[in-house]
């Protein structure tokens, strides 16, 4: 049976979001996972972080996200507000919006943690493929046998 990990409470007045709001949002989601609040985690990891101010966090969901209406219930919002209050030691407004297609286009910089994770994985895979192609042993084998690379597996 896993031992519950206490969620760290940050000092009042500390504003880690000022440096990198998306990184702090990732930490919030990680704390939800550590606190075994999987319902909230499953809901809010799809959210795009729109803004994070000293007293408010605003997130948005893509217009085609099926669970957006369910997530916007008072129960989910209150649970998240309580969690954020416990984490930051002060009440924070927590605003959830369903974005229109125009909002999504206008806010291309607003991304969800899942989108950022996918992008990081793509970048890492591309980096590893390029590294494999440029490796001296790879080049030696290709020139020795007159072969070409068909596919590079990077998931091992």
């Amino acid at each position: 049976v896993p031992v519950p990990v206490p969620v760290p409470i940050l000092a009042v007045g500390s504003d880690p979001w000022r440096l990198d709001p998306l990184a702090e949002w990732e930490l919030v989601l990680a704390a939800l996972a550590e606190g075994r609040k999987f319902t909230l985690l499953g809901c809010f990891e799809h959210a795009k972080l729109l803004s994070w101010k000293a007293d408010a966090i605003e997130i948005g969901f893509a217009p085609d996200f099926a669970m957006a209406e369910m997530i916007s219930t008072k129960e989910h919002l209150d649970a998240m507000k309580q969690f954020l209050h416990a984490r930051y030691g002060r009440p924070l407004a927590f605003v959830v919006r369903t974005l229109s297609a125009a909002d999504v286009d206008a806010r291309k910089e607003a991304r969800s943690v899942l989108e950022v994770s996918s992008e990081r994985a793509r970048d890492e895979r591309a980096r590893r493929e390029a590294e494999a192609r440029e490796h001296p042993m790879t080049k030696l084998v290709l020139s020795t046998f007159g072969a070409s690379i068909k596919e590079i597996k990077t998931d091992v």
Side-chain angles (χ1 to χ4, degrees):
V1 175
V3 177
V5 178
V7 176
I9 296 176
L10 301 175
V12 174
S14 71
D15 292 325
W17 54 268
R18 287 183 187 270
L19 299 175
D20 187 349
L22 188 57
E24 185 61 25
W25 181 244
E26 285 183 272
L27 292 174
V28 166
L29 295 176
L32 285 170
E34 288 173 10
R36 305 187 58 77
K37 298 188 179 298
F38 298 118
T39 302
L40 293 176
L41 173 64
C43 294
F44 294 118
E45 68 185 352
H46 295 274
K48 296 176 182 290
L49 181 62
L50 302 177
S51 71
W52 190 320
K53 298 177 183 147
D55 60 347
I57 298 171
E58 182 180 12
I59 62 170
F61 290 98
D64 59 346
F65 184 62
M67 293 175 44
E69 190 173 311
M70 181 194 80
I71 292 167
S72 298
T73 64
K74 183 172 175 14
E75 177 186 351
H76 284 98
L77 294 178
D78 287 348
M80 191 61 169
K81 286 177 185 177
Q82 288 173 344
F83 178 82
L84 292 168
H85 188 178
R87 180 168 172 79
Y88 293 101
R90 64 181 187 267
L92 290 170
F94 187 68
V95 179
V96 177
R97 294 182 38 210
T98 299
L99 302 173
S100 67
D103 286 336
V104 172
D105 288 342
R107 294 179 175 245
K108 289 194 186 296
E109 77 284 351
R111 298 178 297 161
S112 72
V113 169
L114 292 178
E115 291 169 330
V116 171
S117 295
S118 293
E119 184 179 306
R120 285 181 190 147
R122 265 192 319 275
D123 291 349
E124 176 64 13
R125 189 171 26 265
R127 185 192 65 75
R128 291 175 70 189
E129 284 181 13
E131 186 178 293
R133 288 180 193 282
E134 295 303 315
H135 194 279
M137 288 305 291
T138 303
K139 288 182 175 186
L140 178 64
V141 168
L142 292 176
S143 67
T144 301
F145 295 104
S148 64
I149 296 173
K150 182 177 179 181
E151 179 182 14
I152 297 177
K153 300 271 186 183
T154 59
D155 56 351
V156 262

